[in-house]
Amino acid sequence: MLCKLRLPGAAPRSRPPLLLLCSLALSGCAGSPSVLAPASPGAARIADLFWSVLAIAAAIFVVTEALLIIALIRFRSRPGDREPDQVHGNQALELAWTLAPALILAGVFVATASTMTAVTQEQPGALRVKVVGHQYWWEMQYPDQRISTATDLHVAVGQPVEVELVAADVIHSFWVPELSGKTDLIPGHTNRVRFTADRPGTYRGQCAEFCGAQHANMAFEVIAEPRERFDDWTRRMQAPPAIPIAGPAARGAQAFLGGVCVGCHTIDGTQAQGKVGPNLTHFGSRRTIASLTLDNTPENLATWLTDPQAVKPGNLMRIPTLSRETIQDLVAFLEGLQ
Ligand code: CUA
């Protein structure tokens, strides 16, 4: 929008640098979720609160600036003016400029407190999810469905979700701009966040509390689906994956289950029961690798397995160097875990 504006007097020749500046300024916004595009009743209340406070602040700005400009023009010094009357103190005025801001702030406080109460209110029939923040990924557990996965938080459209937030190591913060406000995950303390997705969609979430080198790459997605699709997903996740018995995938399974991988990762129905890293039971059905750092494609998975530290420096996955063949076999095995 901004880039479409034509500056008066700007010669056509100056347009490319202007466009470049515009695109640089806005490139960070491309595809980002906005708190002003709410997709849940709670996020809509937060957006309404933002607009109300902005309107109040804008009105105060306009009135103050108008008075200032009127004073500057009307009372400016003119040739031959005598010295103005000297005044000191004006009780009525001082009371007014103390009381008016106090009343406005009290109003903003009441609106904020009522919004906070509304968005944290317990909802009947909620889907319970436990989200564990790790450096630098999100563990998603569904205690009632006995599902454990990572990065993708699947929910049903229209069903309230109650998220229990805990941290495995340091403080993180759960934030899905289109669905909920920010809530911290604190070691040794359980917090809760509640939301209901109004419409189907994939909503990006982000860790919003600095937690280490890969804080920025600690993202996740809330995938809101119609009820039948969510139930389908639940059924697929509850079924243990088929472990291949022939071909590259079978060699990959052997390398995985006989290697260091099992120390950190779980694959249901196998001896891999590690709890340090993400559960990989249905890894092939996820959209991304390493908390949205890479799309989940065979090429990207091979890149990741070649050197996880090169892709996401400082993450906790440290593995011995693997041969090209082993990597290809592991990719065939992991991508097959649907
Ligand atoms: Cu986790 Cu920032």
Side-chain angles (χ1 to χ4, degrees):
M1 184 68 185
L2 184 62
C3 299
K4 283 186 190 150
L5 295 176
R6 174 122 184 248
L7 294 187
R13 215 156 54 85
S14 69
R15 251 192 246 161
L18 186 67
L19 280 178
L20 182 70
L21 273 178
C22 280
S23 57
L24 276 178
L26 296 177
S27 58
C29 312
S32 323
S34 169
V35 289
L36 301 178
S40 78
R45 295 251 349 208
I46 295 171
D48 287 348
L49 179 66
F50 169 82
W51 288 117
S52 314
V53 173
L54 183 71
I56 294 169
I60 293 171
F61 175 81
V62 168
V63 170
T64 323
E65 290 304 306
L67 290 174
L68 182 68
I69 291 166
I70 291 169
L72 279 174
I73 295 170
R74 211 171 139 202
F75 302 109
R76 72 184 187 280
S77 123
R78 292 179 178 82
D81 272 359
R82 61 177 182 83
E83 193 172 319
D85 296 337
Q86 299 299 302
V87 290
H88 178 261
N90 183 326
Q91 211 170 26
L93 202 57
E94 282 163 19
L95 268 174
W97 73 44
T98 307
L99 280 178
L103 287 174
I104 293 169
L105 287 177
V108 171
F109 170 76
V110 169
T112 306
S114 86
T115 303
M116 284 171 71
T117 312
V119 300
T120 51
Q121 203 153 47
E122 214 171 314
Q123 304 284 340
L127 170 73
R128 289 201 308 136
V129 189
K130 182 176 178 182
V131 172
V132 187
H134 297 258
Q135 282 176 317
Y136 303 97
W137 61 282
W138 299 88
E139 179 179 350
M140 311 299 190
Q141 293 178 6
Y142 297 73
D144 300 327
Q145 288 76 15
R146 303 171 68 86
I147 293 170
S148 176
T149 182
T151 311
D152 300 351
L153 184 61
H154 285 252
V155 301
V157 170
Q159 182 184 17
V161 183
E162 171 153 337
V163 187
E164 199 181 300
L165 298 167
V166 292
D169 34 45
V170 299
I171 301 183
H172 305 275
S173 181
F174 179 97
W175 185 34
V176 191
E178 289 148 312
L179 297 174
S180 76
K182 295 172 188 169
T183 308
D184 280 2
L185 293 80
I186 301 166
H189 176 85
T190 300
N191 270 337
R192 279 187 172 72
V193 64
R194 299 180 171 95
F195 65 84
T196 308
D198 289 327
R199 51 175 194 270
T202 300
Y203 305 102
R204 187 189 162 100
Q206 175 67 42
C207 181
E209 183 76 53
F210 182 72
C211 54
Q214 289 298 329
H215 156 70
N217 282 325
M218 185 170 166
F220 61 101
E221 281 177 337
V222 176
I223 298 150
E225 297 166 313
R227 165 59 56 189
E228 318 79 71
R229 291 192 57 180
F230 174 73
D231 290 343
D232 271 357
W233 175 82
T234 312
R235 273 192 291 277
R236 278 203 313 279
M237 294 298 286
Q238 286 167 333
I243 302 299
I245 47 168
R251 290 198 300 274
Q254 258 174 19
F256 188 98
L257 298 172
V260 292
C261 317
V262 296
C264 294
H265 296 286
T266 292
I267 294 178
D268 291 352
T270 72
Q271 68 265 39
Q273 294 294 321
K275 303 286 182 229
V276 178
N279 184 313
L280 301 178
T281 304
H282 296 277
F283 173 81
S285 66
R286 290 187 209 148
R287 199 181 71 72
T288 66
I289 300 170
S291 300
L292 266 62
T293 308
L294 297 173
D295 285 339
N296 187 2
T297 64
E299 299 74 37
N300 284 340
L301 182 56
T303 306
W304 173 255
L305 290 174
T306 305
D307 189 357
Q309 292 301 319
V311 177
K312 200 168 169 178
N315 87 81
L316 296 186
M317 179 155 161
R318 289 163 207 281
I319 51 167
T321 307
L322 303 167
S323 70
R324 273 179 69 96
E325 296 71 42
T326 308
I327 288 173
Q328 292 312 323
D329 293 345
L330 282 170
V331 168
F333 168 56
L334 291 168
E335 295 294 4
L337 294 174
Q338 292 292 331

